[in-house]
């Protein structure tokens, strides 16, 4: 199965490596691409907000960013191959960008966070071509900023404005660009900046990254309640 529907959201059923092969080909062919990395919060939002659901329908690819989505696909007996998180996908795409000399643009986070993320990315990928960056405290109607970014002709545009703002920004302005892979990445810049700690590998392998983050940030408890509610809804509504 190439696509899997979970709570009215159509996920593309590829492994990380398969996604990377597809994205590399599209980047080299200069095909515009809109990627959503969707977790249970995003799926829940899409089911309560018709405008946001329509925005997700415009995506070229939707990955399962969140073990809850993968578990839901198994409950529905249409299992997704694996979780493909935004942070991990960003890391792989940055590696590709350095290899292929692609132009990268970073949009999101606050200035200090963005600068730390930029420096850490450059430290890990010294030859990467980051052509520009801008903080995320923007009005999505701001056409001047879009014009600045368009003029730089980036191949990869990482948009970390948080959902739904990042997806709204992409769908509103993508038509202005002649090429580019646009991807919404939530709080990934915070992790690159070292301000949010990624779970150790063993926690990730055990699919307990959500628990690690909850321990690190107890204030996320209310947000984490989305996961059990989401899975209960999937169980109740399954055929």
């Amino acid at each position: 199965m190439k696509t899997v529907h979970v709570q009215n959201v159509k996920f593309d059923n590829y492994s990380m490596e398969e996604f990377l092969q597809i994205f590399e080909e599209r980047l080299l062919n200069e095909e515009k691409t809109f990627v959503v990395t969707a977790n249970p919060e995003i799926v829940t939002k899409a089911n309560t907000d018709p405008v946001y659901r329509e925005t997700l329908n415009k995506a070229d690819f939707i990955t399962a960013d969140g073990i809850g989505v993968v578990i839901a696909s198994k409950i529905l007996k249409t299992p997704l191959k694996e979780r493909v998180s935004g942070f991990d996908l960003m890391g792989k795409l940055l590696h590709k960008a350095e290899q292929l000399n692609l132009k990268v643009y970073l949009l999101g986070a606050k200035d200090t966070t963005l600068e730390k993320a930029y420096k850490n990315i450059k430290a890990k990928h010294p030859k990467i071509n980051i052509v520009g960056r801008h903080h995320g405290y923007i009005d999505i109607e701001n056409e001047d900023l879009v014009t600045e970014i368009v003029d730089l002709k980036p191949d990869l545009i990482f948009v970390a404005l948080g959902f739904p703002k990042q997806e709204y920004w992409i769908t509103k302005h993508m038509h202005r660009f002649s090429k580019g892979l646009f991807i919404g990445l939530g709080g990934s810049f915070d992790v690159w900046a070292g301000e949010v700690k990624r779970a150790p590998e063993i926690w990730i392998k055990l699919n307990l990254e959500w628990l690690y983050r909850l321990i690190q940030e107890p204030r996320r408890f209310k947000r984490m309640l989305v996961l059990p509610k989401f899975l209960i809804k999937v169980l109740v509504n399954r055929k």
Side-chain angles (χ1 to χ4, degrees):
M1 252 182 289
K2 293 296 183 186
T3 58
V4 170
H5 285 81
V6 177
Q7 288 290 293
N8 303 310
V9 174
K10 185 175 72 173
F11 287 86
D12 293 278
N13 194 13
Y14 299 109
S15 67
M16 175 69 82
E17 289 309 310
E18 287 170 333
F19 271 121
L20 288 171
Q21 288 173 12
I22 292 167
F23 295 160
E24 180 176 344
E25 184 176 341
R26 291 177 71 95
L27 283 162
L28 293 176
N29 290 331
E30 297 190 349
E31 291 182 69
K32 280 196 284 187
T33 307
F34 171 26
V35 181
V36 173
T37 58
N39 60 17
E41 284 183 280
I42 285 178
V43 176
T44 300
K45 172 75 172 172
N47 276 276
T48 56
D49 185 336
V51 174
Y52 189 56
R53 182 165 63 248
E54 184 57 33
T55 298
L56 294 195
N57 287 338
K58 294 174 184 176
D60 296 292
F61 298 93
I62 300 181
T63 79
D65 182 354
I67 193 59
V69 174
V70 177
I71 292 170
S73 73
K74 291 177 180 177
I75 291 170
L76 296 168
K77 299 190 179 350
T78 52
L80 287 158
K81 289 184 179 180
E82 65 177 328
R83 178 191 177 207
V84 178
S85 77
F87 180 80
D88 292 329
L89 186 53
M90 180 182 177
K92 301 275 189 184
L93 288 170
L94 288 170
H95 179 66
K96 286 283 183 192
E98 185 177 35
Q99 279 185 321
L100 301 171
N101 193 30
L102 300 173
K103 295 180 180 179
V104 174
Y105 193 93
L106 307 175
L107 174 62
K110 58 186 180 183
D111 270 326
T112 52
T113 301
L114 181 59
E115 286 308 303
K116 283 189 274 187
Y118 168 77
K119 287 175 183 175
N120 288 337
I121 290 169
K122 288 290 286 182
K124 186 168 184 178
H125 302 284
K127 294 181 181 178
I128 199 165
N129 184 14
I130 298 178
V131 293
R133 57 196 185 276
H134 195 283
H135 66 76
Y137 292 83
I138 60 169
D139 178 350
I140 66 168
E141 304 289 336
N142 186 338
E143 294 288 344
D144 292 337
L145 173 60
V146 177
T147 298
E148 288 176 23
I149 302 172
V150 168
D151 288 345
L152 293 168
K153 298 181 180 177
D155 299 290
L156 284 155
I157 302 92
F158 295 110
V159 186
L161 302 176
F163 83 93
K165 188 176 180 180
Q166 59 198 18
E167 286 79 32
Y168 288 151
W169 187 91
I170 292 169
T171 54
K172 182 172 180 58
H173 301 297
M174 191 173 162
H175 73 279
R176 297 269 314 270
F177 295 76
S178 61
K179 62 175 182 175
L181 186 149
F182 300 75
I183 179 169
L185 289 163
S188 293
F189 291 3
D190 297 330
V191 182
W192 273 102
E195 293 179 0
V196 172
K197 213 172 189 182
R198 189 87 198 274
E201 194 64 32
I202 186 64
W203 289 69
I204 296 171
K205 285 183 178 177
L206 292 172
N207 295 319
L208 292 172
E209 189 171 9
W210 62 272
L211 179 58
Y212 181 86
R213 290 203 62 186
L214 182 58
I215 293 168
Q216 295 293 312
E217 302 175 76
R219 60 186 174 80
R220 292 177 62 89
F221 179 74
K222 191 174 180 182
R223 283 183 63 183
M224 289 293 184
L225 288 176
V226 169
L227 179 56
K229 289 178 181 176
F230 167 75
L231 290 176
I232 290 167
K233 191 173 180 182
V234 170
L235 281 163
V236 169
N237 294 333
R238 67 178 171 168
K239 293 180 181 178

